[in-house]
Amino acid sequence: MAIMNVYNAIDSALRDSTRPWMAPFVWIEGRTGIGHTKLFVGGMLAALAFIIASGRMVMLLSNLLGFAYPMYATIDLMVQEDIQSKTPSPPVSAEQSGRHATVTPASRWLTYWITFAAVLIVQQLCGDVLQIIPFYFLAKIVFFVWCALPMEANGAAFVHRLVVRDYFKQFFN
């Protein structure tokens, strides 16, 4: 509820015709079809991304951003499964082993956490080298956001289909 109150306050402030920022937002909205509030939030996130890319706390912040929402979503999934008393869905059948096979939410979040841990391990081993790569931490944030997107074809499902299921299954037969 608090988030919706903030969203509504931002939306009403952006749509106030007496404010000087109304004209640019109307012009950009007319060109892109994206609403005022989404443009504002996107602009703030872009500004935050550039600040993160040049800041001193970038590693900590990128790890926190990669951790916060997925932790919440994983706990929510576990609680919902406890409430519904469902058993995990059956494993993917042989005819669904292609790239377009569906991935259960539990498999997707487990794959996310495996990917997150692997990236952190590589970062610990190669941290000094990775820090000299321009925009490494920004790319890491974008990768983790893609992996955590609440949609069917997110990055964790991609990693699950192409790496975990297709490559690692040979070691567990």
Side-chain angles (χ1 to χ4, degrees):
M1 286 308 219
I3 293 174
M4 286 306 296
N5 291 339
V6 170
Y7 180 86
N8 291 335
I10 291 171
D11 188 52
S12 64
L14 291 174
R15 295 187 184 280
D16 185 358
S17 60
T18 63
R19 303 294 179 158
W21 54 73
M22 180 67 177
F25 275 106
V26 169
W27 182 80
I28 294 171
E29 184 176 356
R31 296 279 183 164
T32 64
I34 300 171
H36 286 46
T37 309
K38 289 182 181 179
L39 286 170
F40 176 77
V41 170
M44 290 296 108
L45 289 175
L48 179 64
F50 285 111
I51 291 169
I52 288 171
S54 62
R56 293 182 57 181
M57 300 291 287
V58 67
M59 185 186 309
L60 174 65
L61 192 55
S62 68
N63 289 342
L64 287 175
L65 288 174
F67 185 77
Y69 174 73
M71 179 186 64
Y72 168 78
T74 303
I75 292 170
D76 183 48
L77 177 68
M78 293 166 59
V79 168
Q80 293 303 322
E81 284 184 354
D82 281 347
I83 290 171
Q84 296 173 358
S85 299
K86 286 187 176 179
T87 58
S89 61
V92 176
S93 63
E95 60 269 4
Q96 286 186 326
S97 63
R99 288 186 176 182
H100 301 291
T102 58
V103 178
T104 64
S107 294
R108 186 176 304 130
W109 284 116
L110 286 172
T111 304
Y112 176 88
W113 289 115
I114 291 168
T115 305
F116 185 78
V119 168
L120 290 182
I121 290 169
V122 169
Q123 185 175 313
Q124 288 297 320
L125 294 174
C126 308
D128 294 334
V129 175
L130 294 175
Q131 288 182 356
I132 63 172
I133 298 172
F135 301 109
Y136 163 73
F137 291 106
L138 183 60
K140 180 179 147 189
I141 290 170
V142 170
F143 174 72
F144 282 137
V145 166
W146 177 54
C147 284
L149 283 175
M151 57 186 248
E152 183 66 29
N154 68 5
F158 179 80
V159 169
H160 178 79
R161 285 191 301 268
L162 295 181
V163 178
V164 174
R165 192 179 64 222
D166 293 344
Y167 179 73
F168 286 114
K169 72 179 177 183
Q170 67 185 344
F171 298 111
F172 295 97
N173 284 336

